Amino acid sequence: MAASWPENPRLITTRITRLDGMAKASGKAKYPSDMRPEGTLFGVMLYSSLPHATVKSIDTSAAEKMPGVKAVVVIVKEGATLRYQGDDIAAVAAETEEQARDAVRAIKIVYEALPHAVTEAQAMAADAPVVVKGGNVKKGRASTTLEKGTETIDAAFAKAESVIEGTYSVPVITHVCLETHGLTAMWDGPDKIVAWASTQAVQGTANELAGRFQIPVSNVTVLTDVMGGGFGSKFGADIWGLTAAELSKKAGKPVKMFLDRIQEHLAGGNRPSATGKIKLGAKKDGTLVALAAETFGTGGVSRGAQFPLPYVYSIPNTTREHADVFVNGGNARAMRAPGHPEGCIIMEAAMDDLADKLGVDPLEMRIKNLAPKDFRTEIYLEEIAIGAELIGWKAKRKPRGKNGNGPIKTGYGMALHQWGGAGARDKQVTCTINPDGSVELRSATQDIGTGARTVLAIIAAEVLGLQPTDITSNIGNSTFVPGQASGGSTTTPSMAPPALNAVTQAMEAMFAKIAPAVGGAAADLSLKDGKLLVKGEAKMSWKDACRKLGMTSITETGKFTDGLSAGGVAGVQFVEVTVDIETGKVRLKKIVAVQDSGLIINRMAWDSQVSGGVIGGLNYGLFEERVMDPTTGQMLNADMELYKIAGASDMPEIIVHALDTPAMRARGVIGIGEPPTIGTAAAIGNAVTNAIGVRVTQWPMSPKNVLDALASASNQGKA
Amino acid sequence: MSTEGSDLPVVEESMVVPCRHLRNKGMYIYTDGSGGESHDGYDNTIYWCLQTMKSFGPDDDQVDGHECRQPGRSCYEAL
């Protein structure tokens, strides 16, 4: 019989401390960048200092003779085009990091500088230098949807009783992983590699290493016990990982290669920018009639700047044109809910602006335009009601610009978001019950900071009547049975079903084996509070029962089965801010995040995930921006000083509310990593606008952007 | 795609085998074929090439879900 989630769980849905929490907090946990096997060399990458250039020549002879240098690898050929500051050229491995850096500086590169375009404006100019063949602007699929009886989008807008037009923009931001990208590679003989990698995909990374060096993947072991954040940017070995392995092969010693903070900003990935020129029309009561959108964004030299629009709301007539703009900047990479934060910002800003023009409550306007046939609509209604109560929307919020005469203005904003978060159906977990009573789960997934290790242990402990600390949750090893790569909020919904099945199968196998020895049929046995029960009566301890297994452990492999997980979540966030209109400084006072995600396995980790998502979102809303210098083509804030993110004193009160109802639990497990980071920046922008009475069209809500908006409105006589 | 006057059969893009070096994040996640990076109404898939580990292939042209299904491309190797 297929396993199912318990109706009255003992551990699942409760707050469980992470198994590796103390090790992480105390520094005992070893991150991949902490790993230094005996004889480890330090690898350093040489990257382009120019935003666009041709490599005329590379001379590594001086570097190879430098003290401590053991290997040099040239990545690009002479004549190659370098397309952004940070583009990889060569690498050195030496006995110390300082020696490797000295040697990298000794590599002689002759560049031919090429004209560059590092901003969208530069790249879209008529006389722009060519960033990529085929043009710097690549148009995406244009789409138009019209309701029956409406011939054109103009005819649709003619039915609207109020229309707003606005342009909203959000800049490129980088992932800012606290542990930078990289790995430590160690060869074991001529055809075996062990790599300690900071990755979201141990098996994907192993496959790439095996493929590059033409060795069997079974000869590659990628280990990720813990890791310091990826946010979508760490799938695979990357050029620096492959280069580390090549340097290691040449030097005959392990090589540790992790990007420095500058290169992490330049080449470790980014979330594309987004700009939307929006026209949105509605009836007097706020019912949306039509949307026309022209959007663009840049993901550097790669594509990927598309985003969903319209977002969340049902609009009968829409037209959309989008263009990806190529600039001389590092590749975009997937970043926590790719596309959704951008789409949410642009849609929700336009919604608030139209509500303000109509004089209707933006909360009521959102409710009015929820998609009637979407299962999420009922969830949104419930979440909006809860969130509005927690922020005090009805009691405290005033219409835009009606927030008193003093310089400090208080404002409120909100935003809705949605995500998928369904699991992949092809992953496995093994469960081993040993005669000494120890229990081990194994799978080639990894814990990217979300608490995945603890989730698996909770499931096992729930089934076996044990505590999570009784379970060894062994993940982060590419040689184990296939586990889920951690992206798209899919890890828990992919891994929880096979974990439940593996443990249930192992328990049943154990019962079948020990039943004769404990005086009952297998069907009479059960487990509770660390004891074996026969016909409901405690017979012996768990350990004593396991001893009845004799000399052989039981190992079962669980696979995915339907009904244990699902996909599709809603979510709403409310924000309270104060804005000093003399300095432009925004202070966050309170953020309310109301979120659903089906059955919650570990409420403590779930709360942390939502809080973390909100914190990521408030960084996007208030601080983060990659600043490129149009003249030199350099990133001006490729560090942790001028690339702003929030500190402790910037944190507001964050209220996390789980929509944890019987109906939600019945849906099964759904991922939570991405949804709570989507709506925060949009809600912050709307709160700032509500406070000061003027739309700030450019994110982040920095003092400059706030003051620019106030000045612009003042010049137009609006403020 | 069809060419006027050509005798070649019309081949849907989805039927053409992609290059074995083409990668995107969805390939690592939706290994069961349940989904991908493309969505109704928008596609923000970011591709890279396993040969270069970048968004440009060995031939210095862009890596793309369409371009990397072209057997005529010099670096193309069928999956």
Side-chain angles (χ1 to χ4, degrees):
Chain A
M1 193 176 77
S4 59
W5 298 116
E7 285 186 20
N8 298 297
R10 175 176 53 95
L11 298 170
I12 290 170
T13 73
T14 67
R15 305 176 68 83
I16 309 283
T17 304
R18 293 184 191 213
L19 295 180
D20 50 11
M22 185 57 76
K24 285 184 172 180
S26 66
K28 188 180 173 187
K30 294 298 181 193
Y31 287 74
S33 52
D34 292 328
M35 302 308 296
R36 297 183 187 184
E38 182 70 26
T40 293
L41 304 174
F42 294 84
V44 171
M45 302 289 290
L46 170 63
Y47 52 85
S48 175
S49 58
L50 299 177
H52 199 191
T54 301
V55 177
K56 304 301 287 184
S57 66
I58 306 173
D59 181 357
T60 62
S61 57
E64 288 167 13
K65 296 170 189 162
M66 298 279 284
V69 171
K70 300 298 180 186
V72 178
V73 166
V74 176
I75 297 168
V76 298
K77 296 175 183 170
E78 292 181 351
T81 302
L82 302 170
R83 291 188 170 85
Y84 54 91
Q85 179 199 14
D87 211 347
D88 314 286
I89 298 172
V92 171
E95 290 174 344
T96 70
E97 184 175 341
E98 292 76 14
Q99 289 171 334
R101 293 199 180 283
D102 286 345
V104 156
R105 279 191 286 272
I107 296 175
K108 294 185 178 69
I109 306 286
V110 177
Y111 298 105
E112 179 184 344
L114 300 172
H116 63 260
V118 296
T119 67
E120 294 98 311
Q122 283 183 312
M124 296 167 81
D127 58 348
V130 175
V131 177
V132 300
K133 293 177 191 172
N136 297 348
V137 178
K138 186 170 184 178
K139 291 193 172 180
R141 297 185 298 228
S143 63
T144 299
T145 301
L146 299 170
E147 63 187 335
K148 194 173 180 182
T150 301
E151 296 297 320
T152 65
I153 195 72
D154 289 339
F157 274 106
K159 298 176 189 173
E161 292 165 308
S162 187
V163 175
I164 61 102
E165 294 187 59
T167 299
Y168 313 96
S169 295
V170 61
V172 171
I173 67 169
T174 67
H175 292 68
V176 199
C177 306
L178 286 185
E179 181 178 50
T180 63
H181 287 67
L183 58 76
T184 298
M186 180 175 76
W187 285 84
D188 177 12
D191 62 353
K192 287 186 178 178
I193 308 176
V194 178
W196 292 266
S198 186
T199 181
Q200 296 175 240
V202 287
Q203 287 192 319
T205 301
N207 286 331
E208 291 185 6
L209 285 163
R212 175 56 61 100
F213 294 99
Q214 297 293 297
I215 58 177
V217 72
S218 55
N219 285 8
V220 180
T221 303
V222 172
L223 301 169
T224 306
D225 191 30
V226 293
M227 56 89 78
F231 312 107
S233 68
K234 290 181 177 174
F235 287 84
D238 276 315
I239 190 70
W240 37 80
L242 298 179
T243 302
E246 191 171 344
L247 287 166
S248 176
K249 194 175 181 72
K250 286 182 82 169
K253 292 188 173 183
V255 171
K256 174 187 170 185
M257 174 82 83
F258 283 80
L259 302 185
D260 63 27
R261 182 55 60 185
I262 297 172
Q263 199 180 15
E264 180 73 12
H265 277 296
L266 297 175
N270 59 72
R271 174 186 286 165
S273 63
T275 294
K277 183 182 175 189
I278 304 297
K279 183 177 179 183
L280 187 64
K283 297 285 189 184
K284 278 181 185 171
D285 67 355
T287 303
L288 294 173
V289 173
L291 167 73
E294 295 174 25
T295 63
F296 66 88
T298 184
V301 293
S302 62
R303 49 167 291 171
Q306 258 277 27
F307 53 88
L309 196 74
Y311 190 65
V312 173
Y313 305 107
S314 174
I315 308 176
N317 304 286
T318 65
T319 185
R320 167 97 185 269
E321 291 182 9
H322 176 84
D324 271 31
V325 180
F326 299 106
V327 304
N328 293 113
N331 285 22
R333 294 187 178 205
M335 185 170 182
R336 211 165 179 179
H340 282 236
E342 300 97 298
C344 186
I345 280 174
I346 290 172
M347 185 78 230
E348 293 288 34
M351 288 290 283
D352 258 32
D353 287 353
L354 185 52
D356 175 64
K357 188 172 182 180
L358 286 163
V360 302
D361 183 341
L363 181 149
E364 298 298 337
M365 186 166 145
R366 284 174 169 82
I367 289 174
K368 190 174 286 293
N369 290 288
L370 292 171
K373 294 179 180 174
D374 189 339
F375 73 93
R376 292 184 180 90
T377 291
E378 290 302 315
I379 301 172
Y380 279 129
L381 291 173
E382 202 169 346
E383 291 177 339
I384 289 170
I386 294 167
E389 184 68 26
L390 289 171
I391 200 76
W393 185 268
K394 296 288 183 191
K396 296 179 182 174
R397 181 190 171 275
K398 297 180 174 63
R400 180 180 294 186
K402 307 290 184 187
N403 290 294
N405 296 320
I408 309 296
K409 310 288 190 185
T410 298
Y412 295 84
M414 65 179 292
L416 274 57
H417 56 248
Q418 57 187 228
W419 189 248
R425 300 159 55 90
D426 59 348
K427 299 308 185 297
Q428 302 173 19
V429 174
T430 61
C431 175
T432 298
I433 299 174
N434 295 304
D436 66 356
S438 60
V439 180
E440 183 186 25
L441 302 181
R442 286 188 175 192
S443 185
T445 186
Q446 53 288 306
D447 191 335
I448 61 169
T450 58
R453 174 177 283 106
T454 309
V455 161
L456 298 184
I458 290 169
I459 293 168
E462 178 80 53
V463 174
L464 300 176
L466 302 172
Q467 293 300 316
T469 48
D470 296 327
I471 310 298
T472 299
S473 191
N474 202 349
I475 58 176
N477 185 324
S478 65
T479 66
F480 293 165
V481 293
Q484 180 68 352
S486 297
S489 304
T490 61
T491 308
T492 303
S494 300
M495 301 308 302
L500 179 68
N501 287 328
V503 179
T504 303
Q505 290 165 212
M507 179 186 70
E508 290 171 350
M510 175 185 169
F511 286 171
K513 186 164 185 182
I514 69 172
V518 299
D524 297 331
L525 308 189
S526 61
L527 297 165
K528 187 179 180 184
D529 298 334
K531 292 186 169 58
L532 176 76
L533 281 59
V534 180
K535 294 183 178 177
E537 290 193 13
K539 187 87 171 180
M540 63 186 73
S541 71
W542 162 257
K543 284 196 172 184
D544 286 341
C546 289
R547 245 178 239 122
K548 305 290 184 189
L549 289 171
M551 299 295 288
T552 306
S553 303
I554 285 176
T555 296
E556 290 286 331
T557 301
K559 295 185 178 180
F560 189 98
T561 50
D562 289 327
L564 299 173
S565 66
V569 299
V572 59
Q573 293 189 13
F574 290 84
V575 172
E576 177 188 345
V577 301
T578 60
V579 186
D580 184 335
I581 60 170
E582 292 178 349
T583 65
K585 174 72 177 173
V586 176
R587 290 213 69 92
L588 300 171
K589 307 300 286 185
K590 189 174 187 177
I591 297 178
V592 172
V594 186
Q595 187 63 55
D596 55 291
S597 77
L599 175 67
I600 298 167
I601 301 290
N602 183 358
R603 181 61 187 273
M604 183 180 284
W606 191 94
D607 282 359
S608 292
Q609 281 281 80
V610 177
S611 293
V614 167
I615 292 167
L618 72 85
N619 280 322
Y620 195 37
L622 275 192
F623 298 109
E624 289 189 86
E625 180 172 13
R626 184 183 75 177
V627 181
M628 303 298 290
D629 178 19
T631 304
T632 63
Q634 305 289 302
M635 180 177 175
L636 296 177
N637 57 343
D639 54 37
M640 293 294 277
E641 181 184 10
L642 297 175
Y643 189 95
K644 297 294 185 187
I645 58 173
S649 62
D650 298 306
M651 287 300 143
E653 177 188 7
I654 299 174
I655 297 177
V656 175
H657 185 97
L659 194 68
D660 182 17
T661 64
M664 290 298 111
R665 291 186 180 190
R667 298 190 68 203
V669 178
I670 307 174
I672 189 58
E674 279 149 308
T677 206
I678 297 170
T680 318
I684 289 171
N686 283 340
V688 170
T689 297
N690 173 251
I692 66 175
V694 170
R695 166 57 64 187
V696 183
T697 59
Q698 174 69 54
W699 270 252
M701 298 294 115
S702 62
K704 178 184 183 300
N705 288 338
V706 170
L707 292 176
D708 282 353
L710 285 166
S712 175
S714 179
N715 291 339
Q716 295 171 35
K718 294 179 182 174
Chain B
M1 190 169 67
S2 64
T3 305
E4 196 172 329
S6 168
D7 293 331
L8 293 173
V10 176
V11 180
E12 292 291 329
E13 184 174 290
S14 60
M15 300 296 287
V16 180
V17 178
C19 176
R20 68 188 181 93
H21 300 297
L22 179 67
R23 288 291 182 274
N24 66 62
K25 190 192 79 172
M27 293 177 174
Y28 295 72
I29 297 170
Y30 306 109
T31 46
D32 59 348
S34 63
E37 301 284 282
S38 179
H39 308 270
D40 290 343
Y42 75 103
D43 181 0
N44 58 351
T45 311
I46 298 167
Y47 295 96
W48 68 91
C49 171
L50 277 185
Q51 298 277 69
T52 61
M53 304 303 277
K54 292 182 179 295
S55 57
F56 291 81
D59 61 355
D60 217 30
D61 275 345
Q62 276 194 299
V63 181
D64 186 270
H66 172 71
E67 298 299 329
C68 296
R69 289 174 186 268
Q70 306 300 323
R73 192 168 173 172
S74 63
C75 50
Y76 174 87
E77 293 181 53
L79 186 65

